[in-house]
Amino acid sequence: MWPNIIANAKAGGLNVIQTYVFWNGHEPIQGQYNFEGRYDLVKFIKLVQQMRMYVTLRIGPFIQAEWNHGGLPVWLRDIENITFRTNNPPFKYYMAKFVRKIVDMMKEEKLFASQGGPIILAQIENEYNMVQDAFKEGGKKYIRWASNLALSSGAGVPWMMCKQQDAPGPVINACNGRNCGDTWIGPNHPTKPLVWSENWTAQYRVFGDPPSQRTVEDLSYSVARFFSKNGTLVNYYMYHGGTNFGRTGSAFVATRYYDEAPLDEYGLPKQPKWGHLKDLHQALKLSRKAMLWGTYSFLSHRKDFEARVYEIPNKKVCAAFLTNTHATIDTTVKFRGVDYFLPHRSISILPDCRTVVFNTQKINAQHNSRSFTPVVEVRKKRKWKMYKDYLPRYQDQGIVRNYEPLELMNMTKDTTDYLWYTTSFHIEEEDLPRRHDIRPVLQVASLGHVVHAFVNGKYIGNAHGSKIEKSFVFQKPIKLHSGINHIAILALTVGFPDSGPYLEHRMAGIHSVAIQGLNTGTLDLTSNGWGHQVGLLGEKLQIYSQEGSSKVQWTQPVGNTALVWYKRYFSTPLGNDPVVLDMKTMAKGLAWVNGECIGRYWVSNTSPLGTATQTLYHIPREFMKPKGNLLVVFEESGGNPDGIQILTVKRDEICTYVSEYHRSWSRRKGKVLSIAEGVKPEAQLSCPNQKIIKSITFASFGNPTGVCGNFTVGNCHAPQTQAIVEKICLGRNSCVISVKGEDYLADEDCPGTTDTLAVQFTDFPSAAPVKQAPRRIRLEIKEQYIAKTKKLIEAGFIRDEKVC
């Protein structure tokens, strides 16, 4: 997937790609390195280089990033006397060893800019100011040591520390956040540039969270604001949303990571965010000569208005950023003798100090919305098979026994999410409650993250913590009998924690168990003697793979069953659209396709809005083969596998929403020029990938409201709009339409009109490749087309013959 994602980033106007280096991915076992497949760091950087783009390399090696254990290998926890990220000799030894390995690898491949490569900036550590106070003097010594480690590596490029205001020496202190142009105090030395290492395009999701959004108006304002104040580099975090495949997400972080990014989870451009930022990047590039070499000046004529100007007077080079900082009030300002309209909280960019080529509030990019299409499958191929995993007991061979429950993370070593706790106990008949309205209650106190409880082989329920509060208490009524009773508790983590001091001391799993409501009072089982089994039997046998699935006996499925594996086969959907698994009828577990884990699902953990944080799970086409794909699902608490659907994803609901005229701009001979001078207000509809406009599903001029996929006409709607747009656009790959009320017979005196055009359409692939006609016929068609074009020009629908 990398080449297409990088290409879409470049097409969006980016010139640098930033990536972390994942220590626990590259050294999962001490001394055993992995730089292959998805962890081929050199290949990734060389792909960026082939696209003629730069790289910033965030080596860390602590990275946080909502990545499991913050990128630190779990085997570090077993190093004697280690304390992470402080002036601790064992930690510094292993950190230095890994950092030098990465730097030497980059040098060997000549990837640093000092060697002619694409890496222009590197990072050591990550957001250390957030934890430094916890380590007191040790933290100060550590940050100086880390700085010296980076500077002595011989990389030959600048180094940065994000969220490290006291970054030592020449190491650049960088900002992370949403509005670094306003909230950050800036570099700690005048020789250091303004670097924004993370501009959050939305917010990552955790299971149980409601949706998170950030408007492109706010995002583009923040970027323009930062560059207007002499900013050097802005990095979007994230620009591509991505997926936490397998078990790579940190504690409670959803499998879908940053879907609100300009490129969504599947790598599809999310409009208008992608397009509006592209327009912003073009405006900045038109201004680059003045910004790089001009003299800076600041004008503030009145409250809420600022003009920041970069100018080389003797060369007539000038760029200006006009800013209205008021949150709600639009205004008109005078700059160098000319009046400029500035919407509320917006910035206009003038690459020649005269011409407004971009305003952060005025969106002219197309909008789109995402649609999901179920794949039609032959019914007999949708048949599921089931395998019930083994429920262990204290007496089983291979069980690790201890008088009290052992800590989960130390037991699993992150080889699995799951750890079984088992115990057995004896009670007499007279211990049981004699009243029918009283039942024994199992009480389990857990440090996190989830427990599923079984008593005498019967599933009795589950409980879980949250990202904010991981510990919890599970309490459920149970049925006991006289004699020996068996308790089995499946405890699990939903990823290891990724932030904060003393990560090596974090704990999870159960720590006390009791049974309440007995005639003899509360029975404390905490020191009763506990057996521990790491992982599930199905995991050990790898029954999610083709080879492993033959090692167990599969049976006919039974729905709503706990601790169960399901499997079936499917064919890869035709085409190139991304593929997803709809898991809305399941509860919680993991899913695999052809042995590749596509991530954790947790549909039963709903947000305060009453909906699941995530129901759709990405299956990269690279994981699949044309036919016979093995789909395996492990369900922890019970669901209906017949409801699982395979879907394809498109962004084929495309819209435009334009109220102000927009031009495309270029610079020729030092002058900023419109590519088409004197044009009317206009909107352009365009289909991707040689598709054509199939239908106009909405069109309104006046004061339409809503978003792409959910527009509504206003009281000033011009009824002729849809017919006019259909006449111009249907059957074409693209079309240009007027954004002027008179062309739609609109009532210009209608109270509340915003003179806005909103259009939504769907596309489909052209039926066949376009074949070239003979030259004589082509010339005849051209003459006919020119004649029709002239009539359309006279009617005001298109601008000139160049539309051909």
Side-chain angles (χ1 to χ4, degrees), residues 40 89 303 399 543 584 595 624 782:
D40 193 338
K303 186 182 178 182
I399 290 287
I543 66 174
K584 64 176 174 285
M624 295 181 282
K782 180 179 178 182

Side-chain angles (χ1 to χ4, degrees), residues 18-26 39 57-73 85 91 95 98-99 102 123-128 142 162 176 198 237-238 244 248 250 257 497-500 503:
Q18 176 173 282
T19 182
Y20 281 117
V21 178
F22 303 89
W23 188 0
N24 56 4
H26 294 302
Y39 290 102
L57 191 65
R58 300 177 75 176
I59 297 175
F62 170 79
I63 60 172
Q64 188 168 335
E66 293 71 58
W67 184 265
N68 198 47
H69 212 223
L72 298 177
R85 304 178 68 204
F91 180 76
M95 173 176 164
F98 182 74
V99 169
I102 296 300
Q123 178 178 301
I124 193 77
E125 247 298 332
N126 190 78
E127 297 188 342
Y128 193 70
Y142 167 71
C162 64
N176 290 357
E198 291 185 15
Y237 193 98
M238 304 287 289
N244 290 316
T248 55
S250 67
Y257 183 43
D498 70 326
S499 60
L503 267 180

Side-chain angles (χ1 to χ4, degrees), residues 514-536:
I515 295 177
Q516 298 173 311
L518 299 174
N519 282 340
T520 50
T522 297
L523 176 61
D524 188 349
L525 296 175
T526 304
S527 301
N528 187 61
W530 287 85
H532 306 79
Q533 177 183 295
V534 175
L536 308 164

